[in-house]
Amino acid sequence: MCDMGHDHGREGFGYLVDTPEIRALIDEVRRVSETIRADEDRVTALRPAFAKLLAADGWLPDACAQPDEKSRMGGGIAQYALYRAEDGSLCLFSLVVPAGAATPVHDHLAWGLVGIYRGRQDETVYRRLDDGADPARADLEVAKRQDLGRGDFYALLPPTDDIHYVKTISDTPSISIHLLANDTACVWRHRFDPASGAVTPFRSGYANAPCPPDAERLDAIS
Ligand SMILES: [Fe+2]
């Protein structure tokens, strides 16, 4: 189990991996969130602290860097919670994508920063052409593609550039680190099929922490 923390509070929340490097980033997020109102400005202010975490070695346990064959995203793709705010306002997680595997096309619904820790990823970002009035349909076109290696990172500022997928293009699994202003794996997001236009409710789940009971109920209904 990828669960090295000692300061959990409610089960599955708080520091699931408790290291000085992770605490330094979360402390900086709290400082920035208290002093800066605009999401775009917060993301800009957090870039140095996020870059520092990506550049540091030794803080990510091997248990949080392994594929997960039971993943809801398929392809052995694993999402490990490292830190989760109990109020659902922030999370830090690792995403492990085996060589050659790709995530579904998905959205995030919160601002954040995403960067590469190991391996390489090809990211394809979509632009939405419809007005979003039909919850089951989306008309998407590719807006940009980028090849990302260790230390490269990008900002998420929905709705701009919020729909994408990533594919590992290294011959080893890629590991990306995600800092987002929600409880990403437990909120209901969307999975997109650009070819057909279909939009499906989607909740990825963490490999090492349960989602809150209300979300579990919704999962059972759907
Ligand atoms: Fe993503």
Side-chain angles (χ1 to χ4, degrees), residues 95 103 106-108 114 154 156 162 164-166 178 189:
L95 182 77
T103 66
H106 61 272
D107 59 10
H108 308 82
V114 181
Y154 52 88
L156 296 171
D162 193 40
H164 77 166
Y165 77 94
V166 298
H178 302 236
R189 303 185 276 150

Side-chain angles (χ1 to χ4, degrees), residues 3 18-19 25 28 35 42 48 54 69 81 95 110 116 135 141 169-170 173 177 180-181 183 187 197 203 213:
D3 181 355
D18 195 352
T19 72
L25 177 63
E28 180 65 358
T35 54
R42 285 178 175 173
L54 291 179
E69 294 306 327
L95 182 77
I116 307 299
E141 71 172 12
I169 53 174
S170 47
I177 304 300
L180 274 89
D183 192 13
V187 299
R203 194 173 57 131

Side-chain angles (χ1 to χ4, degrees), residues 57-74:
D57 287 315
W59 58 268
L60 184 68
D62 286 344
C64 306
Q66 305 296 323
D68 173 17
E69 294 306 327
K70 301 191 297 289
S71 163
R72 293 185 199 181
M73 278 183 280

Side-chain angles (χ1 to χ4, degrees), residues 13-180:
F13 288 89
Y15 289 94
L16 285 88
V17 174
D18 195 352
T19 72
E21 294 87 351
I22 291 175
R23 283 194 177 254
L25 177 63
I26 300 304
D27 286 349
E28 180 65 358
V29 176
R30 290 199 182 111
R31 188 189 70 78
V32 161
S33 297
E34 285 170 7
T35 54
I36 299 175
R37 287 292 119 211
D39 294 345
E40 188 172 359
D41 296 338
R42 285 178 175 173
V43 164
T44 299
L46 286 168
R47 291 180 75 92
F50 193 69
K52 194 172 175 183
L53 184 69
L54 291 179
D57 287 315
W59 58 268
L60 184 68
D62 286 344
C64 306
Q66 305 296 323
D68 173 17
E69 294 306 327
K70 301 191 297 289
S71 163
R72 293 185 199 181
M73 278 183 280
I77 298 169
Q79 191 169 354
Y80 296 98
L82 307 175
Y83 171 82
R84 295 168 74 201
E86 289 200 28
D87 64 0
S89 64
L90 186 70
C91 68
L92 181 73
F93 64 87
S94 59
L95 182 77
V96 182
V97 182
T103 66
V105 180
H106 61 272
D107 59 10
H108 308 82
L109 308 178
W111 62 263
L113 289 164
V114 181
I116 307 299
Y117 193 55
R118 292 182 196 153
R120 295 196 77 83
Q121 289 180 358
D122 182 275
E123 183 203 18
T124 301
V125 182
Y126 290 87
R127 177 186 301 121
R128 189 162 187 164
L129 303 176
D130 63 305
D131 62 6
D134 183 345
R137 309 282 308 173
D139 185 9
L140 302 178
E141 71 172 12
V142 173
K144 66 179 173 188
R145 289 185 67 174
Q146 51 185 354
D147 177 344
L148 303 160
R150 171 124 195 222
D152 293 336
F153 65 96
Y154 52 88
L156 296 171
L157 283 164
T160 305
D161 292 347
D162 193 40
I163 300 172
H164 77 166
Y165 77 94
V166 298
K167 177 177 180 175
T168 294
I169 53 174
S170 47
D171 57 11
T172 54
S174 67
I175 301 175
S176 46
I177 304 300
H178 302 236
L179 176 74
L180 274 89

